[in-house]
Amino acid sequence: MPALPALPALPALPFSTPRAAHTSALRRPPIRYAIRPLDPRAHRYEVICRVECPDPAGQRFALPAWIPGSYLIRDFARHIVAIRAESGGRPVRLSKLDKHTWQAAPLRAGQPLSVICEIHAWDLSVRGAHLDETHGFFNGASVFLRVIGQESTPCQVHLQAPAGPAFANWRVATALEPARGEAGAARRHGFGLYRAADYDELIDHPVEMGRFTLASFSACGIPHEIALTGRHDADLGRLTADLKKICEWQIRLFGEPAPMKRYIFLVTAVGEGYGGLEHRASSALLCARRDLPWPGMPGMNEHYRTFLGLCSHEYFHAWNVKRIKPAAFVPYDLDRENYTTQLWAFEGITSYYDDLALLRSGVIGIDDYLALLAQTLGNVQKTPGRLRQSVAESSFDAWSKFYRPDENTPNAVVSYYAKGALVALTLDLTLRRDTQGRISLDDVMRALWRHHGQTGIGLAEDGFQKIAEACAGLRLQRFFADYVYGTRELPLKTLLAHFGIRLDWQASRAPTLGVKTAREGNELRLATVFDGGAAQQAGLAAGDVLVAIDGLRVTPETLDACLLRRRPGDTIQVHAFRRDELMTFSVRLAPPAADTAKLTRSTAKAPRQRGWPL
C-alpha cells in the first residue's frame, strides 16, 4: 500500500466524564444487575439493579429510549409491567419523572438501593427482548436501567436460568466476558456472573439463552462463534467456512489485529424474517430458514447470498459505527434523538462494502456481484425521492422519516443505505480514477480507523470529506456538494465504463400506471402513487383499491397481463374503491421508465482499469 499524506494533528482524546470522575467511578463498587426469565409462558423477565453507592439525595434511573444502530425512538420503558425499589429489605418510594425516568426517595449515605422490574418480552426482532419456552433473547438497552450519574461505573450482571427441569439444558451465548475471579463467575456459555467495563459496554452485548446450535471458527487468530436458534437444517461446515473468508478479508482491510478478542453471530431462524443489528463484538441477526445453506446445496443461491451479505454488513460495523463514530454519538445520549448528517457514510459505505466483501473474499463471483450492484442501482432509480432529498438530509431525518415510512415515502425520501452505497461506489471510483489507482476508498477507511476508530474521537460532520481529501490529495468540495449534500444524479455510467463495466438502463415492455401496489387477499391496493405518474394525474390516490379496468375485474395476478395488452398513450377506465365509495378514473398510460439496471463486463481491460471491483 502506498504511503499516505500526513493527516491533520488530532485533538486530545475526550472522555465521557471528567478524568477525576472517571477515576472515582473505577473505585466505586460495581453496579450489580441480575436478570432471570420469571415466567417464559407469560414472556416476562425480572431484572434487578443494585447500587451500592446511590445518590443520597435520591438516585435517578432511566431506561434508554432507543438502541444504538436503530435510529428510532423505541420507548423501551413501555414494556415495564411493574417496578419497585427497596433498601435493606424495606420498600423505598420510587417516583416517575417522565416516560422512562424514575427517582428513588433519599437514603442515608452508605445504604445500598435495589430497583426491581418486571419486563414484558415479546418483541421477536434484533432490537428488543423476547422470551418464551423455546428461548430467551434481549438487548441490554431494553432491560437494564441506567444509573444516572454512574454510567462509567463497572457493571456485573448475573444471568440466571429459568426455573424448572424443562430448562435444565439451556445455555448462554453472548460476547459479555465472564466475571473471572468473582464468586459465581460464569463459564463460557453458562449461566452465572458476567462483567462489563461500564453501562455503555453492558448494553452493547446482547444475550441469547436456550437450546441453540453452536459452531465456531477462527478468523486471523480471533475466535468466532455462531449461535443458531430455531429449527433448521443448516450446513454449519459451509456456513463457518464462508464466514471465515468474509471476516478475514474485513480484518485485513482495516489491518490486524482485529479490534475484538472474540466475536459471536447470534442468529434466529424463523419462517419469514430479516434483520440485523451491530454490536462491538457480536451481531444479532434474524433470517428465514431458507436463507441458511443446507447439506449438499449446489452453488450459491439468492437466499444464502442475502444472508451472507447481512452477516458481512453487521460485521463491517464492528469498525464503521461501533468504533469509528460520528461526533454526535460520542457519547450516546440515550434519552433522545442523536442527529447527524453522516449515516450515509456509516450505513451507506457499510452497505457498499457488505457485498464487495463477498466478492473480494472469494465467496461469490464477479457476475454475482454485478447482479447485486445492478439491483441496488435499480432500487434507487425507482425512488423519486432521490431527486428531493440528499443522503445527508436522509441521514438527519432518519428519526422522523426513514424509520417511519408512509404512502408518500418513495416520493419524498431516499435511503441512506442504498443511495449511500452508490455514493460510496461513486467516491471509490472517482478516487481510483483521479489518482491513477494510487488511492481508493479502502485507504480512506483505514485512515478513519487510525484517526477515529483507534482513538475513540468522534468524526466531525465535515470530517469524512477532510480525511478523503487528505488521503487523495484532491479537492472534493464539488463532489460532496453535488452527491452528499445535493441531489444531482450520480455519474456512474461514465465512471463504470472507465473500469470496464457497461451500465445500460432498460424499460419493461408494458406501459405504466406509476404506482406501487400491495396485495390484500385477492384485492389490489395502491400502496404508493408516484409523483407525476399516470395514476396521480388521473386522480388515483394511495389506499385506493383497484376493482376493474375497462369493465373487467382486476386482481394481483391479472394487472400485469392487462397492461401488457395496452400501449403508452392508451386511455383506460379504472374503477376503484376509496374508503367505501366506488369511483371511476380515466387514466392515460405512460411509457415505461428505463429504471432497470444491467451491468456487463467488457471483454478486455486496459491497465488503468484494474483494481476494481477486485
Side-chain angles (χ1 to χ4, degrees):
M1 184 183 90
L4 296 178
L7 291 172
L10 298 173
L13 178 63
F15 287 85
S16 57
T17 58
R19 186 179 298 272
H22 184 75
T23 303
S24 175
L26 294 177
R27 290 198 298 264
R28 283 197 195 110
I31 307 295
R32 292 183 169 86
Y33 295 87
I35 181 168
R36 69 183 177 105
L38 182 65
D39 188 348
R41 294 178 181 86
H43 323 299
R44 197 162 296 173
Y45 288 106
E46 180 185 72
V47 185
I48 301 173
C49 174
R50 179 181 171 89
V51 187
E52 299 298 328
C53 300
D55 183 347
Q59 180 63 57
R60 289 183 299 141
F61 300 84
L63 199 64
W66 65 287
I67 182 169
S70 183
Y71 307 106
L72 180 68
I73 296 299
R74 303 283 174 183
D75 288 332
F76 291 118
R78 64 195 171 95
H79 298 301
I80 293 180
V81 176
I83 184 169
R84 59 185 175 87
E86 63 179 41
S87 180
R90 296 182 178 181
V92 174
R93 181 170 52 84
L94 200 59
S95 302
K96 194 167 188 178
L97 305 182
D98 59 33
K99 62 182 179 180
H100 55 227
T101 309
W102 294 261
Q103 184 168 18
L107 294 172
R108 292 195 307 273
Q111 281 189 286
L113 175 67
S114 295
V115 176
I116 302 96
C117 300
E118 290 185 26
I119 296 178
H120 184 67
W122 197 237
D123 177 11
L124 186 59
S125 76
V126 296
R127 299 176 299 270
H130 189 263
L131 176 66
D132 63 15
E133 293 173 286
T134 67
H135 88 124
F137 171 84
F138 63 83
N139 278 289
S142 68
V143 296
F144 293 135
L145 290 168
R146 185 172 92 254
V147 182
I148 295 176
Q150 298 194 35
E151 290 88 348
S152 297
T153 302
C155 300
Q156 294 179 351
V157 55
H158 188 197
L159 303 180
Q160 300 177 16
F167 308 103
N169 59 349
W170 276 31
R171 51 183 177 165
V172 170
T174 181
L176 278 168
E177 286 296 319
R180 294 184 179 88
E182 298 282 346
R187 295 185 177 183
R188 189 74 70 199
H189 306 127
F191 290 93
L193 199 62
Y194 290 79
R195 62 175 175 82
D198 52 26
Y199 182 79
D200 180 62
E201 183 175 304
L202 174 71
I203 66 170
D204 201 24
H205 295 286
V207 173
E208 172 71 26
M209 57 178 72
R211 293 178 287 270
F212 48 80
T213 305
L214 194 66
S216 62
F217 63 94
S218 176
C220 295
I222 301 299
H224 287 62
E225 293 179 329
I226 307 165
L228 188 50
T229 296
R231 298 182 183 181
H232 67 88
D233 60 352
D235 182 344
L236 296 177
R238 177 170 183 179
L239 181 56
T240 54
D242 288 338
L243 285 178
K244 176 183 175 70
K245 295 176 184 177
I246 296 165
C247 295
E248 288 190 334
W249 183 85
Q250 293 192 19
I251 292 170
R252 289 166 182 154
L253 171 69
F254 287 98
E256 297 183 60
M260 72 290 285
K261 293 181 180 179
R262 65 187 190 95
Y263 192 92
I264 185 165
F265 295 92
L266 302 175
V267 184
T268 300
V270 295
E272 292 291 338
Y274 178 85
L277 189 63
E278 70 274 5
H279 300 277
R280 67 185 68 186
S282 61
S283 52
L285 307 167
L286 188 70
C287 74
R289 291 184 183 89
R290 65 172 179 271
D291 295 341
L292 299 170
W294 65 87
M297 184 181 82
M300 173 73 67
N301 65 31
E302 176 185 357
H303 300 298
Y304 182 42
R305 187 176 61 194
T306 297
F307 177 69
L308 289 177
L310 176 63
C311 294
S312 177
H313 183 97
E314 305 307 340
Y315 194 74
F316 197 87
H317 273 317
W319 292 266
N320 195 36
V321 91
K322 293 312 300 183
R323 291 173 172 87
I324 308 168
K325 294 181 182 180
F329 292 175
V330 182
Y332 295 115
D333 184 342
L334 296 169
D335 291 329
R336 58 188 56 83
E337 296 90 342
N338 293 196
Y339 291 102
T340 176
T341 60
Q342 298 186 87
L343 292 182
W344 72 269
F346 291 95
E347 292 292 354
I349 289 177
T350 299
S351 296
Y352 171 55
Y353 273 102
D354 58 22
D355 288 336
L356 194 59
L358 303 188
L359 172 65
R360 289 183 174 175
S361 65
V363 171
I364 64 173
I366 189 168
D367 290 332
D368 284 336
Y369 173 72
L370 292 178
L372 290 170
L373 179 56
Q375 186 177 41
T376 302
L377 284 161
N379 289 340
V380 173
Q381 191 70 17
K382 291 178 174 69
T383 305
R386 78 186 190 282
L387 304 175
R388 294 285 189 99
Q389 187 187 52
S390 70
V391 290
E393 291 170 330
S394 177
S395 300
F396 194 87
D397 291 340
W399 301 91
S400 58
K401 291 186 177 181
F402 185 76
Y403 279 91
R404 295 183 183 276
D406 58 27
E407 70 285 344
N408 195 50
T409 291
N411 289 322
V413 173
V414 70
S415 168
Y416 55 79
Y417 285 87
K419 190 175 180 184
L422 297 184
V423 171
L425 167 63
T426 305
L427 179 59
D428 194 8
L429 299 185
T430 298
L431 294 176
R432 291 171 183 269
R433 182 194 63 186
D434 293 353
T435 65
Q436 292 74 51
R438 181 176 57 87
I439 296 295
S440 72
L441 188 57
D442 296 354
D443 301 298
V444 177
M445 298 310 296
R446 285 188 280 264
L448 284 166
W449 174 240
R450 292 195 303 273
H451 287 262
H452 293 277
Q454 292 180 324
T455 64
I457 298 172
L459 185 66
E461 290 297 291
D462 61 351
F464 187 90
Q465 178 182 337
K466 289 181 176 179
I467 282 194
E469 289 178 335
C471 286
L474 301 172
R475 290 179 61 84
L476 296 170
Q477 184 175 358
R478 181 66 181 270
F479 180 98
F480 278 78
D482 286 347
Y483 308 128
V484 174
Y485 301 104
T487 58
R488 189 173 179 180
E489 294 279 34
L490 300 172
L492 281 170
K493 188 176 182 72
T494 301
L495 283 169
L496 287 166
H498 181 85
F499 289 86
I501 306 294
R502 177 173 173 171
L503 168 60
D504 292 304
W505 290 103
Q506 300 177 335
S508 63
R509 291 187 299 149
T512 178
L513 284 171
V515 300
K516 181 180 180 181
T517 61
R519 181 174 190 148
E520 293 183 351
N522 202 36
E523 292 183 338
L524 195 62
R525 181 176 60 84
L526 301 187
T528 297
V529 174
F530 292 118
D531 281 348
Q536 188 184 73
Q537 292 181 6
L540 284 157
D544 290 350
V545 177
L546 300 188
V547 177
I549 292 178
D550 289 340
L552 295 176
R553 183 185 181 191
V554 64
T555 68
E557 289 77 20
T558 61
L559 178 62
D560 289 343
C562 175
L563 294 177
L564 276 170
R565 303 171 80 91
R566 271 73 174 178
R567 295 179 180 180
D570 286 354
T571 299
I572 60 174
Q573 188 179 62
V574 175
H575 285 85
F577 274 109
R578 181 171 299 172
R579 298 178 294 275
D580 59 347
E581 300 177 20
L582 184 63
M583 304 178 72
T584 304
F585 303 88
S586 181
V587 182
R588 189 170 186 267
L589 295 174
D595 56 10
T596 299
K598 181 181 180 182
L599 296 174
T600 52
R601 289 185 285 164
S602 63
T603 55
K605 273 191 177 184
R608 66 175 182 169
Q609 297 166 340
R610 294 178 186 147
W612 186 89
L614 298 174

